[in-house]
Amino acid sequence: VAGNLTMALQQQQQQKQHSSSSSTSSSSTAMQVRELLQAVGLDYDRDASKRPTQLSGGMGRRVCLALQLAQHKRVIVLDEPFTGLDYDAAVSVAQQLVSLRNSDKHTALVLISHEPHLTKLVMDPQTTSHNQVVPLKPPLNKSSSSSVLLNKQQHRRYHKSLCFGTQFLDRFWERLVDYTVMSSPLIALAFVACGLAIAMLTADLLQRLEISGKVLELVEEEVKPLIKMLTGNEASTFQMMAIRFKVKGMLNQTVPPAKATLFAIGITKLFVLEVGPLLTALLLCGRIGGSYAGKIATMQATNQNKLLRTLGIHPVWWTLWPSLLAAMVAAPILTVMGTGLALYLGGWVGPWYGIGDAAQYWTEMQNSIFPPLRLKSMEAFWTETASTANADDSDSCTVTGMTSMVSALQDAIANPTRLDLRVTYSNQPTWKDSLIEVATYPFFYHLLKAQVFIIIIVGVAECVARSRPNLTPRGVPSVITISVVTAGLLVILADWGFSQLWLLRE
């Protein structure tokens, strides 16, 4: 308190020094600070060393008034000085204003208030003079009755559209653009680096994997005794050469396609089931979680949340719900975008290393992301898709399967009694089996992880930022750090839980 008042006095003294060469000593400044605090009803020895967060509401108003007096303001505007104070504190502030008016500060006060019982104390004619009251009255409405009715309808429609404060959709769209557009470059660059690194390392490993020599050595050791046992004679050089030639040809036909299939399925499963959602969530811990935690913490430190409560708006409804809904829309979009980019790069890296071709890669990738959904209602559609794929040998089988799934869902909505959610791989299916089958379906599993992770991120940021009601601006960075670290740890823990769920899939 004393430091703020001293700074205000020094600024006032610097302005005076431009017109005179006199200077003020530190002892006189301290004396002026003491007089200012006494003028507003505060004790120098008790209150001068306090920080702003240690002041009550009434003490804070008095310090603000002392700051204005320190700058020798000729006119001080008091806009709702009693709002948010209990009755005793408000009466104390009103009495102090009366004392200030009766002092020789030569300062005019403009008091704006909706509490007439307190303004009467400040403008008591028995203790003060030069009182002037300007009552504010609503403007006369000279419009017709139909115009009045129209204005009332517009007023009700306006308030009906404001679900959580003022313009909920505006705040939602603002957050959605921020979370999606501003996060896209970060997600894209991270998945480009990660996708290229993992695809190149996997392709290089498969390319270095050579099994022909080991298989031929095994044939040499096992086939010779077998020929001798069957024929009674030692295997000739010509026979062994023919066998080695045949085995090597079989290996050349089967190993490269097997490597290509392993590469495509491995890259797809790795990014769809694990790396894609987890990497996106860890990046969004800092991007969305840190941003939201910083926003809420700043509102706490600057008393904006208290202002919202004063206006009758709950701070959680004002900030949390538009941000959470925007994040729940943005997170799956960013996750699918990053995963798709990594898989696209994998399709380019594989053929570049000589592992399969692009057509085989895309076919295996689509079959890994959209395998048959093993529910009885979907069985007929996936059987039709498989027969179409065998007949046409076309990459459109996955699209056909997804279209069949949509058709099945539409048919189930039209006829709910025909919807059979029992799994096809069990003789005694339960609802748990069906739930696991749907939840661990690769594409659904991918989106489900993204949604759960972003809810954790925003929820942690909300809880950490609001857990400190008396937060100061100095504590905002620590709130952001705690939020980001805690959310990251919980996301990793949730990822482990999802891996345990995947192990339940049969």
Side-chain angles (χ1 to χ4, degrees):
V1 172
N4 285 302
L5 291 175
T6 301
M7 183 177 295
L9 289 170
Q10 289 175 351
Q11 290 180 352
Q12 182 65 23
Q13 291 164 7
Q14 289 174 1
Q15 294 176 2
K16 289 183 177 181
Q17 287 176 2
H18 290 291
S19 58
S20 63
S21 59
S22 61
S23 60
T24 305
S25 62
S26 59
S27 60
S28 62
T29 301
M31 184 60 67
Q32 291 177 356
V33 171
R34 181 184 295 272
E35 293 176 354
L36 286 170
L37 291 177
Q38 291 175 352
V40 295
L42 297 176
D43 184 77
Y44 179 84
D45 298 328
R46 183 189 63 203
D47 302 323
S49 60
K50 290 183 177 179
R51 293 185 176 274
T53 55
Q54 297 174 317
L55 300 174
S56 64
M59 295 172 67
R61 305 288 170 86
R62 298 184 186 200
V63 172
C64 291
L65 186 58
L67 283 171
Q68 303 303 317
L69 296 175
Q71 301 174 66
H72 293 180
K73 299 292 186 180
R74 304 298 298 174
V75 178
I76 298 178
V77 179
L78 303 172
D79 188 6
E80 302 291 351
F82 311 117
T83 301
L85 301 179
D86 56 46
Y87 181 76
D88 293 336
V91 170
S92 177
V93 172
Q95 292 173 350
Q96 200 59 48
L97 291 175
V98 173
S99 300
L100 179 63
R101 293 189 63 194
N102 293 329
S103 65
D104 56 351
K105 296 296 182 181
H106 305 292
T107 300
L109 301 180
V110 179
L111 176 61
I112 305 171
S113 177
H114 288 81
E115 303 181 62
H117 61 287
L118 294 173
T119 58
K120 289 180 180 179
L121 297 177
V122 182
M123 306 179 65
D124 188 354
Q126 298 180 359
T127 57
T128 60
S129 59
H130 305 290
N131 296 321
Q132 184 177 357
V133 179
V134 181
L136 299 180
K137 297 181 180 180
L140 296 177
N141 191 354
K142 299 181 180 180
S143 59
S144 61
S145 58
S146 59
S147 300
V148 172
L149 180 61
L150 180 60
N151 291 335
K152 289 183 178 180
Q153 292 176 350
Q154 292 176 348
H155 182 76
R156 286 196 298 267
R157 189 184 304 114
Y158 173 76
H159 282 278
K160 185 178 180 180
S161 64
L162 307 182
C163 300
F164 311 111
T166 305
Q167 300 299 334
F168 172 81
L169 288 179
D170 290 343
R171 298 197 306 279
F172 167 76
W173 285 113
E174 179 185 1
R175 300 290 183 275
L176 181 60
V177 172
D178 178 27
Y179 294 162
T180 305
V181 177
M182 302 304 294
S183 302
S184 296
L186 175 65
I187 301 297
L189 291 177
F191 274 90
V192 166
C194 186
L196 284 176
I198 293 178
M200 293 174 71
L201 289 173
T202 305
D204 183 69
L205 178 63
L206 291 174
Q207 191 180 44
R208 294 174 182 271
L209 181 63
E210 182 59 45
I211 64 173
S212 299
K214 295 294 183 180
V215 173
L216 291 176
E217 291 179 3
L218 183 62
V219 169
E220 189 79 18
E221 294 176 0
E222 298 295 334
V223 172
K224 276 187 176 182
L226 183 61
I227 292 178
K228 184 177 180 180
M229 182 181 65
L230 294 175
T231 62
N233 299 320
E234 293 286 344
S236 65
T237 303
F238 179 76
Q239 288 176 332
M240 294 305 302
M241 183 182 301
I243 292 173
R244 284 195 296 269
F245 180 79
K246 184 64 176 178
V247 170
K248 193 171 183 180
M250 293 170 61
L251 291 174
N252 290 335
Q253 289 181 354
T254 57
V255 171
K259 287 184 177 181
T261 301
L262 181 61
F263 175 80
I265 295 177
I267 293 295
T268 303
K269 294 284 188 180
L270 183 63
F271 277 96
V272 171
L273 302 180
E274 184 62 30
V275 176
L278 181 59
L279 179 59
T280 304
L282 292 178
L283 292 173
L284 295 183
C285 282
R287 173 62 190 90
I288 294 180
S291 172
Y292 183 74
K295 178 180 179 62
I296 301 302
T298 302
M299 293 179 67
Q300 290 281 83
T302 56
N303 296 320
Q304 295 183 49
N305 290 325
K306 295 181 180 178
L307 175 61
L308 288 174
R309 289 190 176 92
T310 301
L311 297 174
I313 301 172
H314 200 289
V316 174
W317 289 95
W318 179 266
T319 53
L320 175 61
W321 295 114
S323 300
L324 180 60
L325 292 177
M328 291 179 66
V329 174
I333 294 175
L334 295 173
T335 303
V336 172
M337 181 195 73
T339 302
L341 183 58
L343 294 179
Y344 173 79
L345 294 175
W348 175 78
V349 169
W352 188 49
Y353 273 79
I355 299 179
D357 54 19
Q360 182 182 3
Y361 175 85
W362 293 115
T363 301
E364 296 293 345
M365 183 198 73
Q366 293 172 2
N367 292 336
S368 298
I369 298 176
F370 303 106
L373 185 59
R374 298 173 298 176
L375 299 178
K376 290 186 178 296
S377 295
M378 306 294 174
E379 186 176 13
F381 298 99
W382 285 109
T383 302
E384 178 184 353
T385 303
S387 62
T388 302
N390 293 332
D392 299 339
D393 193 19
S394 172
D395 293 341
S396 63
C397 61
T398 301
V399 177
T400 304
M402 294 302 298
T403 305
S404 300
M405 287 182 62
V406 174
S407 301
L409 292 176
Q410 292 176 346
D411 183 67
I413 294 174
N415 302 285
T417 56
R418 298 178 57 184
L419 181 62
D420 191 353
L421 297 179
R422 292 177 298 169
V423 297
T424 58
Y425 57 82
S426 175
N427 295 327
Q428 295 180 344
T430 63
W431 64 269
K432 182 179 178 181
D433 296 330
S434 301
L435 182 61
I436 293 175
E437 173 66 21
V438 174
T440 57
Y441 187 76
F443 186 70
F444 300 157
Y445 184 80
H446 186 73
L447 298 179
L448 179 62
K449 291 182 74 172
Q451 291 286 7
V452 172
F453 290 164
I454 198 62
I455 292 174
I456 291 175
I457 292 169
V458 178
V460 168
E462 173 74 16
C463 294
V464 172
R466 295 196 190 276
S467 63
R468 301 168 65 177
N470 296 323
L471 184 67
T472 61
R474 184 181 301 178
V476 172
S478 65
V479 169
I480 298 175
T481 301
I482 294 173
S483 173
V484 172
V485 173
T486 305
L489 294 176
L490 290 180
V491 164
I492 294 174
L493 182 62
D495 184 72
W496 174 84
F498 272 104
S499 66
Q500 299 305 305
L501 174 63
W502 180 262
L503 294 178
L504 297 176
R505 181 181 177 88
E506 296 185 9

